[in-house]
Amino acid sequence: MPRPFLTNSDGLRPVCLRCQQASRNCQWSNRSPREQQSRSPTTPDQSLTTRPRSAEYVSTKNPEAALRNPHIATIFRYYIEHLAGWYDLNDVKRHFGDIVPSCARRNSLLLSAILAFAAASQSSSFLKKDLWDLAESYHLESVQALLQLTENPDEFRTGETLAAICLLRSYEIISQNVSCQNHLQGSYSLLASRPAGLEAGLLSAGFWNYLREDITVALIERRSLMIELSQEHLPPTVEGEDDLANRITYLLGKVINRCLNQDASPLEQHEWHSLGDELDTWRASLPASFEPIGTPGLYGQSNFPCLWTVSGWHASSLQYYHTALAILSIAEPMQTGMNTLQQIQLINNFEKKLNHHAVQVSALAIFSNSAPVWVNSFGPISFCGPWLRDSQRVHELIEETRKWGSKTGWPVASIVESLSRSGTRG
């Protein structure tokens, strides 16, 4: 469902892509975003319970029986082969690629969430209306299953449930429902009493995926996260490169919550330096394997420096690092007692810094040639991309964003619009 209170220039309320493709009226809410966020995490709209299911729908109450249906099995395999990597971007153990599909063979909620997300992704990428209908059917089944699980908190607070919530969040994003926070709120409720830093396995993997999804939406909407991060969420030790990737994810989330909270007070100098020191310490701790490789002309001509990394988590980690630095640059406490020339120099340096971070974020995405990296890049690009000073770079980034939005089924219209405005200024 689109955001409330919006109208087109002709006075009519716009219709979201999901409702257009389903050939139905778009149901609008008069609640404010804050009121929508305060709803029960798993309470579906009344219209959900009355919608007819797709003719191709097969119940997942018996997962093994459902997977004997060729059409359902094909969608399931599409998730394994094309989408699971999005979630395993920073996970050396490949929980979403290996463990989640195995669990889905006996977990109805997890299977229906996979089918909802995978069908929506295929439909968005290949414009198949019948798959939209099927995706909605499995989304409805998932929400109903979540409602039942809330009656038993011990069954609700599991890694499999959190994995399903992450998948449903991706469904909502693919459905161009980016502002809908129902399942993010559900995730928060699930995690509030059990910090992921104290867990291992699928619950921990689900938490880091949830946090990255939350970061993406927060950067696009220029706001704080839905989750309150604590020191308990920080990886206690660094045993591998994936721990370093999770650590910068935590640090970026911390910076976002402090700097992009509309009710927060301005940063004090000591806070600003403390956050910067944490980022510097993380950067200094990286092994040489994280350093980008520069190969001019690797993919033909480009307006960006050709920077690529050996692993996807190297690229995503460095993007998060530059995004956090960009936010801190904007949040730097104002200096007093400066004359006009000093202020001009300060502004020039400020714009150069933001342009540098935008170039790094963009180049790491463009030359990754990786769907998982690009999906994780949409948030940093949305926030940093408009600070690019070269109009040719802006136009190239717009084309690449559109291309990967089409490949992944990710809704990038708002990102492209923001970049286009910056290109006009350039």
Side-chain angles (χ1 to χ4, degrees):
M1 184 182 296
R3 301 182 189 184
F5 310 122
L6 299 179
T7 59
N8 283 324
S9 57
D10 57 6
L12 299 176
R13 281 175 166 172
V15 178
C16 69
L17 179 61
R18 186 168 55 154
C19 289
Q20 287 178 349
Q21 293 175 322
S23 300
R24 65 165 180 264
N25 292 330
C26 203
Q27 300 296 318
W28 281 78
S29 168
N30 288 322
R31 291 186 303 270
S32 68
R34 184 174 296 275
E35 289 173 327
Q36 291 188 47
Q37 292 169 9
S38 66
R39 294 179 62 200
S40 170
T42 54
T43 301
D45 294 335
Q46 285 296 110
S47 59
L48 279 176
T49 59
T50 59
R51 291 178 190 167
R53 285 195 168 103
S54 165
E56 297 180 332
Y57 164 80
V58 176
S59 172
T60 64
K61 288 184 178 179
N62 184 336
E64 289 287 349
L67 289 171
R68 286 195 287 271
N69 180 289
H71 188 45
I72 300 305
T74 299
I75 297 172
F76 185 68
R77 285 172 60 90
Y78 184 84
Y79 163 79
I80 296 172
E81 295 166 5
H82 299 283
L83 304 177
W86 298 12
Y87 300 91
D88 289 332
L89 176 63
N90 293 349
D91 186 1
V92 68
K93 295 182 179 178
R94 290 175 43 86
H95 282 89
F96 276 76
D98 295 337
I99 296 174
V100 165
S102 295
C103 293
R105 295 184 62 178
R106 55 175 173 75
N107 186 312
S108 173
L109 168 61
L110 198 49
L111 178 57
S112 61
I114 287 174
L115 295 175
F117 168 46
S121 178
Q122 283 184 286
S123 179
S124 183
S125 295
F126 307 120
L127 300 179
K128 294 183 178 180
K129 178 184 177 299
D130 59 324
L131 285 176
W132 274 112
D133 296 337
L134 190 60
E136 286 199 325
S137 295
Y138 284 114
H139 176 252
L140 170 59
E141 185 176 76
S142 300
V143 171
Q144 291 174 334
L146 280 172
L147 279 170
Q148 294 177 355
L149 280 179
T150 56
E151 299 174 3
N152 189 333
D154 290 335
E155 290 185 19
F156 187 77
R157 296 189 182 98
T158 68
E160 293 178 18
T161 302
L162 179 53
I165 290 171
C166 290
L167 292 162
L168 292 172
R169 179 57 187 146
S170 296
Y171 163 87
E172 291 172 348
I173 293 174
I174 292 292
S175 302
Q176 302 204 28
N177 215 359
V178 175
S179 295
C180 180
Q181 300 299 314
N182 290 346
H183 297 108
L184 281 179
Q185 282 292 82
S187 299
Y188 177 75
S189 299
L190 171 65
L191 294 165
S193 61
R194 185 176 289 191
L198 305 179
E199 300 285 347
L202 188 53
L203 189 59
S204 179
F207 167 76
W208 291 111
N209 272 287
Y210 158 68
L211 179 55
R212 291 205 311 274
E213 287 177 329
D214 202 4
I215 284 173
T216 295
V217 179
L219 289 173
I220 291 173
E221 298 191 341
R222 307 289 197 275
R223 60 159 175 78
S224 57
L225 304 177
M226 296 295 294
I227 185 174
E228 290 293 334
L229 292 174
S230 69
Q231 195 70 20
E232 291 178 305
H233 292 116
L234 188 64
T237 59
V238 176
E239 298 178 356
E241 291 187 348
D242 53 335
D243 291 324
L244 288 167
N246 288 335
R247 184 170 286 265
I248 191 60
T249 302
Y250 168 85
L251 291 176
L252 174 57
K254 183 177 179 179
V255 169
I256 288 173
N257 275 351
R258 181 60 185 91
C259 300
L260 299 187
N261 186 335
Q262 64 178 0
D263 299 322
S265 59
L267 282 181
E268 300 288 343
Q269 279 286 351
H270 70 90
E271 285 185 284
W272 186 78
H273 284 295
S274 177
L275 289 170
D277 288 344
E278 287 188 83
L279 292 172
D280 290 343
T281 299
W282 176 85
R283 185 66 177 86
S285 72
L286 297 183
S289 56
F290 272 77
E291 290 298 325
I293 301 169
T295 310
L298 178 63
Y299 294 133
Q301 289 187 335
S302 173
N303 296 295
F304 290 94
C306 179
L307 301 175
W308 59 281
T309 58
V310 174
S311 171
W313 64 53
H314 297 153
S316 64
S317 297
L318 292 172
Q319 286 178 317
Y320 274 7
Y321 168 71
H322 283 286
T323 303
L325 287 179
I327 295 172
L328 280 185
S329 294
I330 298 169
E332 183 176 1
M334 296 292 293
Q335 299 183 29
T336 59
M338 299 178 64
N339 62 35
T340 302
L341 292 179
Q342 289 173 324
Q343 290 180 358
I344 291 173
Q345 185 61 45
L346 182 67
I347 292 171
N348 287 336
N349 291 338
F350 170 74
E351 291 183 347
K352 286 180 181 178
K353 284 182 183 179
L354 292 178
N355 177 71
H356 169 72
H357 297 312
V359 169
Q360 296 294 306
V361 165
S362 303
L364 287 165
I366 290 171
F367 295 106
S368 71
N369 199 32
S370 163
V373 171
W374 261 100
V375 168
N376 204 67
S377 298
F378 288 130
I381 285 174
S382 176
F383 189 89
C384 297
W387 295 102
L388 288 169
R389 302 173 76 178
D390 185 323
S391 61
Q392 290 184 323
R393 284 177 170 171
V394 173
H395 295 318
E396 181 177 343
L397 182 58
I398 287 173
E399 291 306 309
E400 290 292 323
T401 300
R402 282 177 173 153
K403 180 179 78 174
W404 284 97
S406 176
K407 283 187 175 183
T408 62
W410 229 89
V412 297
S414 63
I415 301 174
V416 168
E417 181 182 356
S418 178
L419 293 172
S420 298
R421 288 197 298 268
S422 69
T424 301
R425 290 196 301 270

